């Protein structure tokens, strides 16, 4: 098996682990609705999700060691494709046609970017570029987090938080790639600063993604993280690692079209309301529209019987009126 095939296989298994972790995170967020923000930290299920994300991250690191950044990162888009049927099977979550269409569009767009990307040799970046990248990534994450705090709509807030998580994960993937290259070069010093940046970015991404699922459902936040992560990493790979697109200018134009297709799929996914909102949006049935009826199992209490003196008064009034 070639190194490229091994990196693809590891990326696919990593996507499955990430999908399972996202499903557990969303379930924990739904069960902790209305409680404090740090309530999920007390949940054993949440730590299980952290473990699944850790397995996915470890496989992702190994995949980056054997394959180019612009190949490994787009394969992460399969996370949303795996998550939809897994959620339907494991937690009985209904997946609508719009969600499937958006997921397939996003995956097809990123697959096109993968097919058009030319592989470059393994290379690292200098300390100044790493510091600049860390600063830009932290600034973008802080900006998206601040914007999310001013938004009240749960889905929009979840998308902004998930965008911050995607930026954090994408920049962390770039640092992971540089660390992998450094470790393969035996004369390079041990990259403690880069490892510290990876830990900080991964923790920020995990917390932001958990917050994104609160009230926003599974599909929109997961799709945003899934698309933002490889887009950020691919953009850095194109600028810092010398990776590019095949076929020159036509290949670049096709790659831009694939990016538009992926963005359109993301827009469709963010338009899908979470399960509770869809349940409230359904019109009530005719049976319940008119209120509870007698005989529907509703206790309406004892039926009062007419009093005899009222009946006598009515009769007397009728006689008086007829005389």
């Amino acid at each position: 098996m070639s190194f490229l095939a091994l990196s693809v296989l590891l990326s696919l298994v990593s996507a499955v682990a990430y999908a399972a972790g996202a499903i557990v995170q969303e379930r924990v967020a739904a069960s902790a609705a209305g409680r404090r923000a740090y309530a999920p930290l007390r949940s054993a299920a949440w730590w299980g999700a952290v473990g699944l994300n850790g397995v996915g991250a470890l496989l992702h690191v190994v995949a980056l060691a054997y394959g180019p950044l612009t190949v490994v990162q787009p394969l992460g888009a399969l996370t949303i494709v795996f998550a939809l049927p897994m959620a339907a099977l494991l937690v009985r979550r209904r997946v609508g046609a719009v969600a499937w269409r958006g997921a397939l569009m996003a995956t097809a767009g990123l697959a096109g970017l993968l097919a058009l990307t030319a592989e470059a040799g393994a290379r690292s970046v200098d300390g100044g570029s790493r510091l600049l990248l860390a600063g830009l990534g932290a600034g973008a994450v802080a900006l998206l987090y601040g914007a999310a705090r001013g938004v009240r709509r749960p889905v929009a807030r979840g998308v902004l938080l998930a965008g911050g998580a995607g930026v954090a994960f994408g920049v962390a993937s770039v640092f992971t790639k540089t660390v992998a290259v450094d470790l393969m070069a035996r004369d390079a010093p041990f990259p403690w600063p880069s490892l510290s940046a990876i830990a900080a970015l991964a923790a920020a991404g995990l917390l932001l993604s958990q917050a994104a699922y609160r009230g926003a459902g599974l599909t929109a936040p997961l799709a945003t993280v899934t698309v933002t992560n490889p887009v950020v990493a691919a953009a850095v790979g194109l600028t810092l690692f010398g990776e590019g697109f095949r076929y020159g200018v036509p290949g670049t134009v096709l790659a831009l079209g694939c990016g538009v297709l992926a963005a359109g799929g993301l827009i469709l996914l963010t338009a899908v309301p979470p399960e509770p909102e869809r349940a409230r949006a359904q019109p009530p049935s005719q049976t319940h529209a008119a209120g509870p009826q007698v005989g529907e199992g509703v206790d309406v209490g004892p039926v009062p019987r007419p009093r005899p003196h009222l009946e006598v008064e009515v009769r007397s009034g009728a006689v008086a009126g007829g005389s």
Side-chain angles (χ1 to χ4, degrees):
M1 181 182 291
S2 66
F3 285 159
L4 182 60
L6 179 60
S7 68
V8 170
L9 178 61
L10 293 173
S11 299
L12 293 177
V13 181
S14 173
V16 173
Y18 277 132
I23 293 172
V24 176
Q25 279 187 277
E26 192 274 333
R27 290 291 84 200
V28 171
S31 62
R35 290 187 281 174
R36 295 183 181 272
Y38 55 80
L41 299 178
R42 302 177 180 178
S43 171
W46 186 80
W47 288 106
V50 173
L52 288 170
N53 283 313
V55 171
L58 179 61
L59 295 174
H60 184 75
V61 169
V62 179
L64 284 172
Y66 288 102
L69 185 69
T70 46
V71 170
V72 174
Q73 287 299 111
L75 286 175
L78 293 176
T79 299
I80 183 64
V81 178
F82 292 151
L84 293 180
M86 288 172 62
L89 180 64
L90 298 177
V91 298
R92 300 294 188 269
R93 177 181 293 277
R94 186 174 63 88
V95 181
V98 176
W100 275 114
R101 193 180 306 121
L104 293 176
M105 286 176 60
T107 305
L110 290 175
L113 288 175
L114 170 63
L116 292 169
T117 301
E119 183 176 355
R123 52 172 294 189
S124 183
V125 293
D126 56 27
S129 298
R130 297 187 193 191
L131 184 62
L132 177 61
L133 178 61
L136 291 176
V141 170
L143 181 63
L144 290 169
Y145 175 74
R149 288 180 62 88
V151 176
R152 293 185 177 181
R153 187 166 174 258
V155 175
R157 182 175 63 250
V159 168
L160 288 172
L161 290 172
V167 172
F169 287 138
V171 177
S173 296
V174 175
F175 274 100
T176 302
K177 179 66 176 178
T178 60
V179 168
V181 174
D182 290 342
L183 293 178
M184 293 176 66
R186 298 184 179 182
D187 56 342
F190 196 78
W192 287 112
S194 296
L195 288 175
S196 301
I198 292 171
L201 290 166
L206 181 63
L207 295 177
L208 286 173
S209 63
Q210 180 63 56
Y213 291 120
R214 292 176 64 91
L218 173 69
T219 309
L222 180 58
T224 304
V225 173
T226 302
V227 173
T228 306
N229 184 348
V231 167
V232 170
V236 176
L238 292 172
T239 55
L240 293 183
F241 291 101
E243 299 174 352
F245 296 113
R246 294 187 177 95
Y247 313 121
V249 176
T252 303
V253 173
L254 287 175
L256 291 175
C258 291
V260 172
L261 181 63
L266 177 60
I267 293 173
L268 282 180
L269 287 168
T270 55
V272 177
E275 288 293 331
E277 291 188 12
R278 273 190 277 180
R280 289 195 299 266
Q282 292 178 353
S285 60
Q286 294 182 356
T287 303
H288 298 283
Q293 304 294 328
V294 178
E296 292 183 345
V298 180
D299 186 11
V300 296
V303 179
R305 299 180 62 183
R307 289 178 292 175
H309 68 277
L310 290 178
E311 191 174 338
V312 173
E313 290 175 0
V314 171
R315 289 180 180 178
S316 62
V319 174
S323 59

